[in-house]
């Protein structure tokens, strides 16, 4: 086939342009580490990648939700533990009250119970990030409403929150009830009322009322202990779920990497091949294009 | 004429013929880099024969014609392939611009798990981030930071959809404008080709095929025209030197674009169709076809998908956010397209509802909206999309990616075919420097030999005129 001069030149230019484009494409893959960037690079892979990326973002949100749930659960746990300690101390004081007490001693115990009442109210109205912990979903309402007498002593408490549960999604399919439940919250108000009864019984030396308060304290303790157990279990579930989310995130990352990342060794080898071909094309073109019959005519 | 004077005359004619050949080789060399030029050759011929007592004798050589080395079939093939290549190139370019306008890319360096803004990514990520923000609000409904994040992500989502739609809309307008501009070129080229047709007809009345330069120009303009619109050509039945150019309608009937030197009707573009007089051209190749195909197929489908997504977002989120229809929507109810979707101006981080009048920690609405991310919609059931939001978008973008990749592959393939056909034509019509230089030597030697004959005859005549009879 005849190879006219112009065609030889355009063929060389076209070949060099193709090789240059290939080099550029491979260099971009090597430098970015990515095989796929735009939808047109590999449409099917991009479709899968977008789904995986969305899932990864959702998993990230669930991890953050788990953190929120854990924070809330831990705060609830610590407040309930504090409440239990108050209950234990109140139980001890009640037990002492059942013995023979002098008036001064009874008054001193009553004063301590009064402090326990104040502490229990503060704990029952405990907050996390400005939200009340023991109010159900009425997190902006002070859950333990108290009545005080003229001297400022608490005479009664009522639960002012609601019985709804706070639920946080930990995965697409599962949500976890976090914080305390309505019965627990009500039991806290009851516990405070039992403390009030105890204080008044100690003050007045009323044995019947003392027995009533002891029964109330025991009932409250049962509820609080059960709530502590439930909260601890929830905490463990959150931590296990958090680990699973981490594993899922790693797995998604592995799948994304398999779809999107360039295989560096083979890409570098291909780049090297393209560079060699480019250099060879330039060298051979410069020789061929420089040569003509004119070089041999006088 | 015979004898020495005859030989002298024959030598002079030979010199003239060789001069024409040298001149032609020189012209070929001058056009060595002209892609439109077809190499030329001098056709030698006998001036005639006379009867002499010694028998029939030639009157000598003469340059009868300068002929152009062209293969008409290859020329037609180039015209066809140029038209197909141009369509593929225009389509590939349009889709590349569409891909840029969509702004959807995979960036492995971006941190997709951060709780802050969604970074500089595409529509898919902004939709996902929008729903995960509701997921976050459901977990912590009273948190003002979470509310601010949600409002920010809602703004990013609507802005992303609005700006993507605006860019795609502008691209569609640009493609329409490019097609209109190409149609102007088509009419200009038809006029030019008509004029060249007429000039070739006049020049070639007595010598068919002799208007070589005009034929080069016409072929170049034909290829330019084919780059804009798919055409067919054939030699005119009455005037073989001139060509008919025609396109076809949807039924395959010919639509005449040029009749000898005249353009019967201009090509008219109404934004959708190309018409010539009462006939509508069925566009199959040429850049106009490429522009309009990309505009009316892949890009329109992509915009329709984004509109459907926006529609479903507005409808389903509003239904979950305002279940009674009395407490205000999240999105402006009327903005159900990608270009018009907007967060209701009354919704802000403070007024944002996590529940429908419930306690502060109640997040039933936020939960319901977050759950929309997993809901399978069904157009058969009256929804605007099929599958989840993410599945629908991923599929739509993947489909558009197929259009982009397909157009690129078609362009690459077609480009190779065009190169092959051009190489074939160049192998026939292209100028070779080596060949022309060798020819130049050949003609130079022939000229020198003929000169030598004249010189010998001159010496003989000198002998006859001055040497005899002394």
């Amino acid at each position: 086939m005849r190879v006219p001069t112009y065609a030889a030149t355009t063929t060389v230019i076209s070949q060099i342009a193709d090789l240059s484009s290939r080099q550029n494409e491979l260099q971009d893959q090597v430098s970015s580490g990515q095989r796929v960037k735009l939808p047109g690079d590999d449409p099917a892979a991009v479709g899968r990648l977008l789904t995986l990326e969305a899932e990864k973002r959702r998993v990230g949100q669930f991890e953050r939700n788990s953190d929120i749930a854990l924070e809330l659960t831990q705060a609830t746990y610590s407040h309930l533990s504090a409440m239990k300690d108050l209950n234990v101390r109140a139980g001890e004081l009640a037990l002492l009250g059942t013995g023979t007490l002098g008036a001064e001693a009874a008054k001193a115990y009553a004063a301590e119970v009064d402090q326990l009442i104040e502490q229990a109210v503060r704990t029952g109205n405990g907050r996390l990030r400005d939200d009340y912990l023991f109010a159900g979903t009425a997190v902006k309402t002070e859950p333990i409403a108290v009545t005080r007498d003229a001297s400022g002593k608490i005479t009664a408490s009522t639960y002012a929150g609601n019985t709804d549960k706070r639920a946080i999604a930990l995965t697409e399919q599962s949500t976890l009830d976090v914080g305390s439940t309505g019965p627990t919250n009500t039991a806290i108000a009851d516990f405070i009322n039992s403390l009030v009864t105890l204080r008044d019984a100690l003050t007045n030396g009323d044995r019947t009322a003392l027995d009533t308060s002891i029964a109330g304290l025991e009932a409250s303790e049962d509820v609080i202990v059960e709530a502590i157990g439930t909260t601890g279990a929830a905490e463990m579930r959150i931590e296990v779920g958090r680990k699973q989310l981490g594993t899922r995130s790693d797995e998604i990352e592995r799948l994304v990497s398999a779809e999107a990342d360039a295989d560096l060794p083979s890409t570098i080898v291909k780049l090297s091949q393209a560079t060699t071909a480019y250099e060879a094309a330039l060298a051979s073109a410069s020789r061929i294009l420089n040569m003509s019959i004119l070089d041999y005519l006088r | 004429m015979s004898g020495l004077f005859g030989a002298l005359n024959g030598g002079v004619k030979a010199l003239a013929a060789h001069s024409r050949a040298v001149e032609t080789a020189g012209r070929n060399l001058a056009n060595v880099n002209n892609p439109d030029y077809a190499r030329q050759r001098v056709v030698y011929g006998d001036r005639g024969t006379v009867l002499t007592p010694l028998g029939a004798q030639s009157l000598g050589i003469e340059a009868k014609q300068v002929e152009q080395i062209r293969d008409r079939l290859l020329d037609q093939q180039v015209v066809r392939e140029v038209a197909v290549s141009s369509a593929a190139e225009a389509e590939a370019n349009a889709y590349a611009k569409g891909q840029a306008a969509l702004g959807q890319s995979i960036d492995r360096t971006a941190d997709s798990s951060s709780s802050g803004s969604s970074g500089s990514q595409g529509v898919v990520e902004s939709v996902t981030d929008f729903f995960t923000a509701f997921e976050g609000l459901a977990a912590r409904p009273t948190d003002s930071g979470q509310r601010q994040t949600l409002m920010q992500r809602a703004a990013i989502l609507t802005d992303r959809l609005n700006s993507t739609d605006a860019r795609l809309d502008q691209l569609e307008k640009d493609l329409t404008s490019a097609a209109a501009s190409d149609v102007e070129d088509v009419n200009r080229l038809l006029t030019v080709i008509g004029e060249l047709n007429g000039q070739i007809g006049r020049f070639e009345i007595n010598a068919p095929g002799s208007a070589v330069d005009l034929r080069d120009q016409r072929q170049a303009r034909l290829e330019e025209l084919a780059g804009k619109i798919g055409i067919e050509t054939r030699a005119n039945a009455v005037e073989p030197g001139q060509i008919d150019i025609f396109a076809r309608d949807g039924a395959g009937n010919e639509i005449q674009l040029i009749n000898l030197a005249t353009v019967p009707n201009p090509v008219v573009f109404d934004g959708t169709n190309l018409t010539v007089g009462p006939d509508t051209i069925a566009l199959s190749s040429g850049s106009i076809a490429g522009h309009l195909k990309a505009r009316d197929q892949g890009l329109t489908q992509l915009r329709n998908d984004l509109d459907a997504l926006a529609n479903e977002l507005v409808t389903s989120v509003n239904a979950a956010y305002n279940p009674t229809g009395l407490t205000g929507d999240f999105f402006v109810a009327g903005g159900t397209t990608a270009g018009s979707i907007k967060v209701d101006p009354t919704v802000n981080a403070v007024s944002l509802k996590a529940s429908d009048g419930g306690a502060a920690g109640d997040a039933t609405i936020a939960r319901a909206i977050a759950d929309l991310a997993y809901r399978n919609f069904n157009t058969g059931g009256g929804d605007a999309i099929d599958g989840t939001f993410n599945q629908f978008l991923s599929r739509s973008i993947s489909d558009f990616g197929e259009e982009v990749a397909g157009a690129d592959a078609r362009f690459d393939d077609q480009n190779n075919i065009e190169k092959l056909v051009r190489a074939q034509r160049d192998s026939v019509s292209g100028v070779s420097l080596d060949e022309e230089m060798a020819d130049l030597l050949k003609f130079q030697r022939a000229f020198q030999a003929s000169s030598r004959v004249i010189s010998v005859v001159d010496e003989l005549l000198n002998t006859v005129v001055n040497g005899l009879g002394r």
Side-chain angles (χ1 to χ4, degrees):
Chain A
M1 191 167 109
R2 284 181 75 249
V3 181
T5 308
Y6 179 75
T9 317
T10 50
T11 303
V12 165
I13 291 170
S14 162
Q15 286 167 344
I16 289 173
D18 285 350
L19 287 166
S20 177
S21 161
R22 177 76 179 141
Q23 264 194 124
N24 185 53
E25 183 187 332
L26 288 165
Q27 198 276 333
D28 186 46
Q29 288 186 14
V30 170
S31 61
S32 68
Q34 278 185 235
R35 181 183 67 85
V36 180
K37 270 189 179 172
L38 295 170
D41 293 343
D42 185 343
V46 167
R48 289 191 293 273
L49 280 166
L50 290 175
T51 306
L52 286 169
E53 285 286 351
E55 190 177 347
K56 196 175 160 194
R57 282 167 185 263
R58 281 202 298 272
V59 168
Q61 180 59 48
F62 289 131
E63 286 177 331
R64 290 192 292 279
N65 279 10
S66 299
D67 294 341
I68 294 169
L70 194 61
E71 190 181 58
L72 194 56
T73 307
Q74 285 172 342
T76 305
Y77 184 90
S78 70
H79 280 72
L80 285 172
S81 294
M83 198 68 80
K84 183 174 169 294
D85 292 345
L86 293 175
N87 189 299
V88 169
R89 180 59 188 156
E92 288 168 6
L93 292 174
L95 204 60
L96 290 170
T98 57
T100 309
L101 284 179
E104 284 304 313
K107 193 176 170 188
Y109 290 152
E112 185 176 349
V113 173
D114 200 46
Q115 290 304 310
L116 292 180
I117 293 169
E118 293 292 342
Q119 182 61 33
V121 170
R122 276 198 295 277
T123 307
N125 285 333
R127 298 188 197 197
L128 177 68
R129 296 174 187 264
D130 270 352
D131 286 351
Y132 289 104
L133 283 168
F134 300 101
T137 58
V139 293
K140 296 297 182 194
T141 305
E142 196 171 66
I144 307 297
V146 295
T147 311
R148 293 178 188 271
D149 62 13
S151 62
K153 286 188 177 175
I154 292 171
T155 56
S157 80
T158 52
Y159 176 60
N162 63 26
T163 55
D164 294 337
K165 295 173 185 170
R166 295 180 64 183
I168 292 181
L170 300 183
T171 66
E172 289 90 338
Q173 293 84 20
S174 66
T175 55
L176 178 73
D177 290 340
V178 291
S180 62
T181 59
T184 308
N185 301 340
T186 312
I188 291 171
D190 293 344
F191 168 57
I192 293 166
N193 284 330
S194 295
L195 289 176
V196 169
T197 307
L198 173 62
R199 181 196 63 197
D200 294 346
L202 287 169
T203 306
N204 302 328
D206 183 344
R207 181 60 191 258
T208 310
L210 191 66
D211 290 343
T212 307
S213 72
I214 290 172
L217 289 174
E218 284 172 353
S220 299
E221 185 181 12
D222 289 346
V223 176
I224 291 168
V225 167
E226 188 186 340
I228 288 173
T230 308
T231 309
E235 192 176 327
M236 186 176 290
R237 186 180 156 197
I238 293 164
E239 282 173 349
V240 169
R242 184 77 166 78
K243 277 183 189 163
Q244 285 173 342
L245 286 171
T247 309
R248 188 174 157 199
S249 182
D250 291 345
E251 181 62 16
I252 293 169
E253 181 62 30
R254 193 183 64 75
L255 292 171
V256 169
S257 173
E259 292 279 9
D261 289 352
D263 177 12
L264 273 183
S266 72
T267 310
I268 289 169
V269 169
K270 283 179 193 164
L271 176 61
S272 174
Q273 284 173 338
T275 308
T276 307
Y278 184 72
E279 284 172 357
L282 289 177
S284 61
S286 69
R287 288 194 62 181
I288 289 171
L289 297 181
N290 263 335
M291 203 162 53
S292 86
I293 198 170
L294 287 168
D295 301 324
Y296 300 93
L297 294 176
R298 280 189 296 126
Chain B
M1 190 183 291
S2 60
L4 290 177
F5 284 111
L8 191 61
N9 198 36
V12 170
K13 292 291 180 191
L15 282 182
H18 297 319
S19 295
R20 288 296 301 276
V22 168
E23 180 190 319
T24 304
R27 187 160 53 243
N28 285 342
L29 284 170
N31 283 284
V32 68
N33 288 329
N34 181 355
D36 300 329
Y37 182 80
R39 66 193 167 107
Q40 298 171 4
R41 284 283 174 268
V42 167
V43 179
Y44 290 111
D46 200 280
R47 293 176 57 229
T49 306
V50 293
L51 249 158
T52 67
L54 298 174
Q57 278 194 337
S58 165
L59 289 175
I61 195 172
E62 70 173 352
K64 293 185 85 69
Q65 186 186 345
V66 175
E67 75 168 0
Q68 201 175 30
I69 314 296
R70 271 194 181 280
D71 183 322
R72 185 168 173 73
L73 287 177
L74 283 172
D75 278 345
Q76 284 183 327
Q77 205 175 350
V78 167
V79 165
R80 275 198 299 275
E81 299 307 339
V82 163
V84 179
S85 293
S86 299
E89 184 178 14
E91 195 186 349
N93 284 342
Y95 281 137
K97 290 186 185 108
Q99 186 169 246
L102 179 61
Q104 186 70 57
S105 63
I106 304 294
D107 183 1
R108 301 270 289 119
T109 57
D111 181 8
S112 59
S113 61
S114 70
S115 58
S117 66
S118 60
S120 57
Q121 296 195 29
V123 178
V124 180
E125 291 82 359
S126 55
V127 170
T128 308
D129 285 348
F130 174 72
F131 285 111
T132 57
F134 269 104
E135 195 76 72
L137 182 68
R140 195 178 270 164
T142 55
D143 186 85
S144 61
Q146 193 63 53
R147 287 168 167 265
Q148 292 286 0
T149 300
L150 193 150
M151 293 312 298
Q152 182 198 25
R153 290 188 179 176
I156 288 172
L157 169 64
T158 53
D159 178 61
R160 194 86 72 203
L161 281 168
N162 295 161
S163 57
T164 303
D165 185 71
R167 285 197 296 267
L168 290 172
D169 181 56
Q170 187 56 51
L171 177 57
E172 285 189 355
K173 285 181 181 144
D174 289 348
L175 289 171
T176 306
S177 172
S181 169
D182 282 349
V183 170
E184 284 177 20
D185 281 348
V186 165
N187 285 321
R188 177 182 59 79
L189 287 164
L190 285 173
T191 306
V192 171
I193 292 169
E195 286 168 3
L196 287 167
N197 238 1
Q199 287 171 15
I200 290 168
R202 286 196 298 280
F203 272 106
E204 295 187 353
I205 285 175
N206 295 322
S210 59
V212 287
D213 293 334
L214 291 173
R215 282 172 177 253
D216 278 347
Q217 288 177 37
R218 186 177 65 187
Q219 181 62 26
R221 297 294 85 77
L222 272 177
E223 286 167 23
E224 203 179 331
L225 177 64
K228 310 288 178 192
I229 184 173
I231 53 164
E232 294 178 47
T233 63
R234 65 166 167 247
N236 185 275
V238 182
E239 300 281 349
Q242 300 186 53
I243 54 169
D244 294 333
I245 300 179
F246 55 93
R248 291 191 184 273
D249 65 13
N253 300 315
E254 290 182 6
I255 302 173
Q256 197 171 33
L257 299 179
I258 280 189
N259 180 17
L260 296 176
T262 59
V263 179
N265 288 301
V267 178
V268 177
F269 179 52
D270 64 2
T272 307
N273 293 313
L274 258 62
T275 51
V276 178
D279 302 313
T280 302
I281 296 174
L283 287 168
S284 59
S285 56
S287 59
I288 297 172
H291 294 318
L292 297 183
K293 187 180 171 196
R295 184 194 70 175
D296 297 339
Q297 291 185 11
L299 291 170
T300 298
Q301 182 60 47
L302 183 62
R303 288 193 73 193
N304 288 345
D305 285 351
L306 291 178
D307 283 345
L309 173 88
N311 188 358
E312 194 55 67
L313 271 173
V314 172
T315 308
S316 55
V317 170
N318 280 354
Y321 189 75
N322 184 14
T324 58
L326 301 170
T327 54
D329 291 331
F330 186 85
F331 290 115
V332 173
T336 54
T337 62
S340 62
I341 186 172
K342 195 165 67 172
V343 176
D344 193 289
T346 60
V347 179
N348 55 45
V350 176
S351 68
L352 178 68
K353 292 181 294 177
S355 69
D356 196 17
D362 186 351
T364 44
I365 282 182
R367 176 78 265 136
I369 295 177
D371 284 345
L372 288 175
Y374 319 119
R375 180 166 151 194
N376 262 304
F377 295 93
N378 178 12
T379 49
D383 296 326
I385 63 170
D386 281 312
T388 64
F389 283 113
N390 187 262
Q391 284 167 347
F392 175 76
L393 257 183
S394 298
R395 193 166 52 238
S396 172
I397 287 166
S398 183
D399 287 348
F400 183 68
E402 293 286 0
E403 297 280 6
V404 175
D408 280 347
R410 281 196 295 279
F411 175 51
D412 284 347
D413 292 346
Q414 183 54 38
N415 203 23
N416 285 335
I417 292 170
E418 189 190 327
K419 276 183 197 167
L420 278 174
V421 174
R422 280 191 183 277
Q424 281 181 345
R425 186 176 70 169
D426 287 345
S427 76
V428 174
S429 302
V431 176
S432 163
L433 201 64
D434 297 343
E435 208 173 84
E436 298 304 327
M437 286 305 299
D439 276 354
L440 202 58
L441 281 180
K442 189 170 76 181
F443 300 136
Q444 186 184 0
R445 291 299 179 198
F447 188 93
Q448 286 170 341
S450 295
S451 303
R452 183 72 183 149
V453 170
I454 290 171
S455 171
V456 169
V457 171
D458 181 45
E459 283 177 20
L460 291 176
L461 284 173
N462 182 42
T463 305
V464 171
V465 175
N466 299 322
L468 291 179
R470 278 194 179 175

